[in-house]
Amino acid sequence: MKTILQTESSECGLACLAMVASHFGSHIDLADLRRRFSISLKGASLAQLMRHAGSMHLAARPLRLALEELGALKCPCILHWDLNHFVVLKKIKRSLRGIITVVILDPAVGERILTMTEVSDHFTGIALELLPTAQFEQQDATRKMSIKQLTGPVVGLRRALLQVFALALALEVFALVSPLFNQYVIDEVIVSGDHQLLQILVVGFALLLITQTLIGVARSMVLMRWSIDVGLQWSARVFSHLISLPAVFFENVIWVTCCRVSEVSPQSSKP
């Protein structure tokens, strides 16, 4: 069972539903759930999660229980956390020494392993068990993003690639021709002592070396110009997309980032 991280502060409930549905074999993207179910800026209530679960053909049973009764829940299930958050209870483990640890899938920070004492500081006593109904279907509705969708259209890409490959091919040809100079000098000039042929070979090899150097410089210039053009196009596309996003998106991203930093910083400060 994999962890699905939320990208907005209000979609922790949807992320939990996606994780539970994935456990039962229905792999759904969080973006698809975001389009199907509208969530307010304050997030989803327990009643809304039950309605959304019903739309996904998951039977929901809300429970109020004490901390000691967590082991009786059917995992995975959703727990109400910190009065304003939802997490998934993955499993409860008991070691040989009798120590009980709780594995939590937190859509804000990822998988966490907590003790019962730590769980008591966050768990509000509300849980939501989910089970697939007869209409529930196992499916893989995740969308795979291709490289073309990720990069978008790049103007001049084909022409630049053709130029780079042509110049690289020319350099390889010159690299293969260069050893012929040594062969002619050893086989013809040294054996026959033809100084005129040696001069012709030296001039020809010098021209060959100059041409090879110019082609190398031209290839470097094409690569540099192409990298600048591609970087400019991608930067402009990302900037235009960012300025079109609402301010709420950045507020939610900052909230999720702060939650993850707050969970990591106490652990990193330990010696």
Side-chain angles (χ1 to χ4, degrees):
M1 184 176 180
K2 64 178 182 179
T3 306
I4 298 178
L5 297 178
Q6 63 188 89
T7 57
E8 298 181 4
S9 60
S10 59
E11 62 183 16
C12 58
L14 293 182
C16 292
L17 287 178
M19 285 187 278
V20 175
S22 176
H23 171 76
F24 292 118
S26 180
H27 304 282
I28 306 174
D29 283 333
L30 185 57
D32 291 337
L33 293 181
R34 193 185 303 121
R35 285 189 289 266
R36 288 173 58 184
F37 310 119
S38 59
I39 300 296
S40 65
L41 298 179
K42 297 181 180 180
S45 63
L46 188 65
Q48 288 177 323
L49 284 186
M50 294 175 61
R51 289 196 297 269
H52 298 334
S55 301
M56 299 168 61
H57 304 295
L58 290 172
R61 185 175 71 153
L63 298 170
R64 181 182 293 274
L65 67 160
L67 182 65
E68 296 77 12
E69 299 174 323
L70 281 179
L73 292 174
K74 295 181 180 179
C75 298
C77 61
I78 299 177
L79 302 181
H80 193 220
W81 206 251
D82 289 333
L83 299 176
N84 60 354
H85 191 49
F86 290 103
V87 298
V88 174
L89 173 61
K90 183 178 181 180
K91 59 182 176 180
I92 298 178
K93 300 185 296 184
R94 183 186 295 271
S95 64
L96 296 177
R97 298 180 179 180
I99 300 176
I100 300 176
T101 56
V102 182
V103 181
I104 296 294
L105 301 183
D106 192 336
V109 297
E111 182 173 324
R112 304 169 61 186
I113 300 178
L114 306 175
T115 63
M116 293 297 289
T117 304
E118 292 173 329
V119 172
S120 64
D121 297 334
H122 304 279
F123 180 51
T124 63
I126 303 298
L128 184 65
E129 288 185 340
L130 298 171
L131 292 175
T133 62
Q135 292 79 21
F136 184 84
E137 296 181 357
Q138 296 183 353
Q139 58 179 338
D140 189 0
T142 56
R143 295 184 179 182
K144 297 182 179 179
M145 181 176 293
S146 62
I147 298 179
K148 185 176 181 181
Q149 291 176 330
L150 182 63
T151 59
V154 180
V155 180
L157 176 60
R158 182 176 300 179
R159 179 169 54 86
L161 290 177
L162 290 176
Q163 292 177 351
V164 171
F165 286 142
L167 294 174
L169 180 61
L171 288 176
E172 291 297 326
V173 171
F174 282 114
L176 294 175
V177 173
S178 298
L180 295 177
F181 172 77
N182 296 329
Q183 180 181 354
Y184 276 106
V185 170
I186 295 173
D187 296 343
E188 302 295 338
V189 176
I190 295 179
V191 174
S192 62
D194 192 347
H195 297 284
Q196 186 176 2
L197 178 60
L198 178 62
Q199 293 177 357
I200 295 174
L201 290 176
V202 169
V203 173
F205 183 75
L207 294 176
L208 182 67
L209 183 60
I210 293 173
T211 305
Q212 185 178 4
T213 304
L214 293 177
I215 292 176
V217 173
R219 186 184 65 170
S220 300
M221 293 180 63
V222 170
L223 288 174
M224 181 176 63
R225 181 177 179 181
W226 180 54
S227 62
I228 294 175
D229 291 342
V230 172
L232 181 61
Q233 293 182 44
W234 285 351
S235 300
R237 191 174 296 118
V238 170
F239 179 75
S240 61
H241 179 71
L242 287 177
I243 61 177
S244 63
L245 294 174
V248 178
F249 172 80
F250 298 98
E251 295 176 357
N252 294 331
V253 170
I254 294 174
W255 182 87
V256 173
T257 305
C258 292
C259 288
R260 295 177 183 175
V261 171
S262 63
E263 292 293 334
V264 173
S265 55
Q267 299 177 0
S268 59
S269 61
K270 294 180 180 181

